[in-house]
């Protein structure tokens, strides 16, 4: 009896006191919905890297299951699924939700705006993170940088663009603010999920599309249909996002919150350098492997019209949406300050190197 009594005491102490003493080590199981399909690298890699880091740093106690778009079947539903708590997290891009609130849009990137290092500096040291949380708090969510593509190419076109007239009636897939800029210039703009891009171009549903850059674009095969590849203007620093349900986040132990934030930030930067590497490799072999690709830059007439359209739209939305105005004025002020340093440190360095070659 004494042995049984002692055994009972041990079991009681283990059951009652041990869980309280290790509250932060409780098991947490989350689900994440991606906007992307399972083969879209490096976007998918970024999410997997983040989830793997969370699991490792938590000793296997915080596990995030990833569902690609082919599983949950609703890329454009990611926002609402995270908001409603069907998924604790999502991975997408803030500008996809501009129809819900225009203030989300500049949190991805803006035409003629910051480069990636400039925008990361704004996010983490220039007030950008605070403004992003301000935008999403009304929706019961948090948003964190989720990986940057760097400067994107201007798109694949079936026909060469020589003037503004060539844009009239053109059917193009292009998201974000750039789509609205081109719509003012006569382009019929649509937003198509990544998995449907090639088929839409092949069938003539669209005449042109903008995706990312050579590292991702070549594998999609767009060059087989639309050989004119234009340099960028529209997305100089496209930042993806990790969406997080606020109630789920608030329930996490402090230790897990820190683990999650560290994992997201590390995975986001890793995507930037991974995609940079992929594009550098693709670009170096593109002319040899794909000699039919014609790399072009938009004529000055077209670029100037784009800038005029952009400025008119920004002015319009600043008047209509106070938070959009606050975010844009913050970005504009920071860009004005940081661009001088970018010019001195990067542009003049590159120019001097090209002049000595």
């Amino acid at each position: 009896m004494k042995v049984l009594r002692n055994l009972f005491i041990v079991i009681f102490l283990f059951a009652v006191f041990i869980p309280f003493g290790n509250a932060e080590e409780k098991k947490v199981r989350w689900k994440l919905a991606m906007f992307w399909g399972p083969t879209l690298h490096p976007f998918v890699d970024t999410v997997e890297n983040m989830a793997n880091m969370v699991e490792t740093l938590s000793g296997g106690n915080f596990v995030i299951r990833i569902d690609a778009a082919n599983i949950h079947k609703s890329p454009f539903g990611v926002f609402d699924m995270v908001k409603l708590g069907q998924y604790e997290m999502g991975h997408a891009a803030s500008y996809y939700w501009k129809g819900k609130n225009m203030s989300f849009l500049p949190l991805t990137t803006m035409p003629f705006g910051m480069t990636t290092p400039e925008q990361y500096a704004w996010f983490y040291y220039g007030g950008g993170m605070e403004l992003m949380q301000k935008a999403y708090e009304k929706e019961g969510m948090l948003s964190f940088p989720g990986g940057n593509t760097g400067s994107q190419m201007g798109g694949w076109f079936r026909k060469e663009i020589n003037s503004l007239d060539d844009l009239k009636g053109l059917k193009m897939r292009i998201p974000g603010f750039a789509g609205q800029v081109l719509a003012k210039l006569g382009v019929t703009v649509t937003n198509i999920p990544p998995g449907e891009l090639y088929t839409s171009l092949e069938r003539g549903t669209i005449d042109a599309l903008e995706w990312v850059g050579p590292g991702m674009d070549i594998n999609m095969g767009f060059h087989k249909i639309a050989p004119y590849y234009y340099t960028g203007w529209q997305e100089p620093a496209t930042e993806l996002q990790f969406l997080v349900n606020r109630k789920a986040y608030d329930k996490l132990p402090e230790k897990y919150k820190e683990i999650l934030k560290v994992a997201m930030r590390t995975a986001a930067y890793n995507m930037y350098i991974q995609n940079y590497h992929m594009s550098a490799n693709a670009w170096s072999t593109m002319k040899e492997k794909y000699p039919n690709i014609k790399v072009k830059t938009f004529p000055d007439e077209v670029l100037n019209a784009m800038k005029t359209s952009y400025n008119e739209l920004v002015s319009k939305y600043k008047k209509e949406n106070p938070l959009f105005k606050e975010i844009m004025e913050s970005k504009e002020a920071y860009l004005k300050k940081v661009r001088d340093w970018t010019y001195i440190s990067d542009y003049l360095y590159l120019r001097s190197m090209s002049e000595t070659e």
Side-chain angles (χ1 to χ4, degrees):
M1 288 295 293
K2 185 176 180 181
V3 173
L4 289 175
R5 186 172 67 251
N6 289 341
L7 180 60
F8 175 77
I9 292 171
V10 170
I11 293 172
F12 176 82
L13 290 172
F14 184 86
V16 174
F17 290 102
I18 298 301
F20 284 100
N22 294 277
E24 291 192 352
E25 303 306 318
K26 68 179 183 180
K27 303 286 185 181
V28 176
R29 299 290 182 267
W30 276 17
K31 295 183 298 178
L32 182 150
M34 293 196 299
F35 188 89
W36 339 102
T39 61
L40 196 60
H41 306 284
F43 294 3
V44 174
D45 304 323
T46 305
V47 179
E48 291 176 348
N49 288 341
M50 181 277 300
N52 288 337
M53 276 186 275
V54 166
E55 185 169 358
T56 299
L57 293 173
S58 67
N61 290 318
F62 187 1
V63 178
I64 300 172
R65 191 191 86 195
I66 301 165
D67 284 353
N70 63 310
I71 300 297
H72 61 71
K73 311 279 186 195
S74 182
F76 288 100
V78 168
F79 182 99
D80 289 324
M81 288 190 291
V82 175
K83 178 178 179 178
L84 296 173
Q86 295 170 262
Y87 286 84
E88 289 83 4
M89 292 187 70
H91 193 247
S94 193
Y95 63 13
Y96 288 133
W97 323 128
K98 65 180 182 180
K100 296 178 181 292
N101 192 324
M102 278 298 295
S103 67
F104 295 146
L105 194 152
L107 297 169
T108 302
T109 189
M110 289 295 279
F112 312 110
M114 296 181 187
T115 63
T116 300
E118 291 170 340
Q119 186 165 273
Y120 269 137
W122 174 72
F123 269 127
Y124 288 111
Y125 295 98
M129 288 293 290
E130 291 80 1
L131 287 170
M132 182 154 63
Q133 305 315 340
K134 184 176 180 179
Y136 278 92
E137 67 182 0
K138 296 177 182 178
E139 304 292 342
M141 289 187 284
L142 299 168
S143 179
F144 298 88
N148 204 288
T149 66
S151 183
Q152 294 194 8
M153 291 291 283
W156 298 90
F157 292 74
R158 288 177 178 270
K159 297 180 180 179
E160 188 172 1
I161 304 300
N162 294 307
S163 68
L164 281 172
D165 288 339
D166 293 328
L167 295 178
K168 308 293 185 187
L170 186 82
K171 294 174 292 183
M172 184 174 183
R173 183 271 181 192
I174 182 166
F177 208 70
Q180 293 179 269
V181 169
L182 291 183
K184 280 179 66 70
L185 301 180
V187 176
T188 301
V189 174
T190 185
N191 199 1
I192 299 169
E196 301 172 21
L197 294 179
Y198 183 87
T199 303
S200 297
L201 190 64
E202 183 182 42
R203 293 177 178 174
T205 305
I206 52 176
D207 306 308
L209 63 82
E210 177 267 356
W211 185 220
V212 181
M216 296 183 69
D217 291 10
I218 293 299
N219 293 333
M220 300 283 271
F222 303 137
H223 59 283
K224 299 173 185 177
I225 308 165
Y228 294 96
Y229 198 25
Y230 278 82
T231 56
W233 59 279
Q234 77 295 353
E235 295 194 33
T238 306
E239 188 67 40
L240 305 184
Q241 69 175 162
F242 286 113
L243 272 175
V244 181
N245 179 280
R246 183 60 188 262
K247 289 183 179 178
Y249 179 81
D250 287 343
K251 291 178 183 177
L252 288 176
E254 291 302 317
K255 177 180 176 179
Y256 288 0
K257 290 178 183 177
E258 288 304 311
I259 286 174
L260 182 62
K261 287 189 287 187
V262 167
M264 289 189 293
R265 185 164 175 172
T266 305
Y269 184 71
N270 189 70
M271 191 194 108
Y272 173 48
I273 54 179
Q274 181 184 359
N275 192 61
Y276 203 94
H277 170 74
M278 288 170 56
S279 287
N281 280 345
W283 191 266
S284 68
T285 61
M286 196 169 68
K287 289 184 179 180
E288 180 183 344
K289 290 185 177 181
Y290 312 104
N292 293 329
I293 296 176
K294 301 173 179 65
V295 179
K296 298 284 183 178
T297 297
F298 291 106
D300 288 345
E301 175 195 15
V302 173
L303 283 171
N304 289 334
M306 290 172 175
K307 289 178 181 176
T308 299
S309 175
Y310 167 80
N311 289 330
E312 290 172 353
L313 283 166
V314 168
S315 178
K316 173 179 180 291
Y317 287 118
K318 279 182 177 178
K319 295 175 182 176
E320 295 176 356
N321 189 311
L323 186 53
F324 177 89
K325 180 176 185 291
E326 185 179 0
I327 293 171
M328 281 304 302
E329 289 182 350
S330 175
K331 295 193 81 170
E332 289 162 355
Y334 197 82
L335 177 58
K336 185 177 180 180
K337 176 173 63 176
V338 77
R339 184 53 57 87
D340 283 345
W341 172 240
T342 302
Y343 179 83
I344 292 293
S345 63
D346 292 338
Y347 174 74
L348 291 183
Y349 166 75
L350 292 172
R351 193 177 74 175
S352 65
M353 291 299 100
S354 65
E355 290 173 351
T356 57
E357 291 176 355

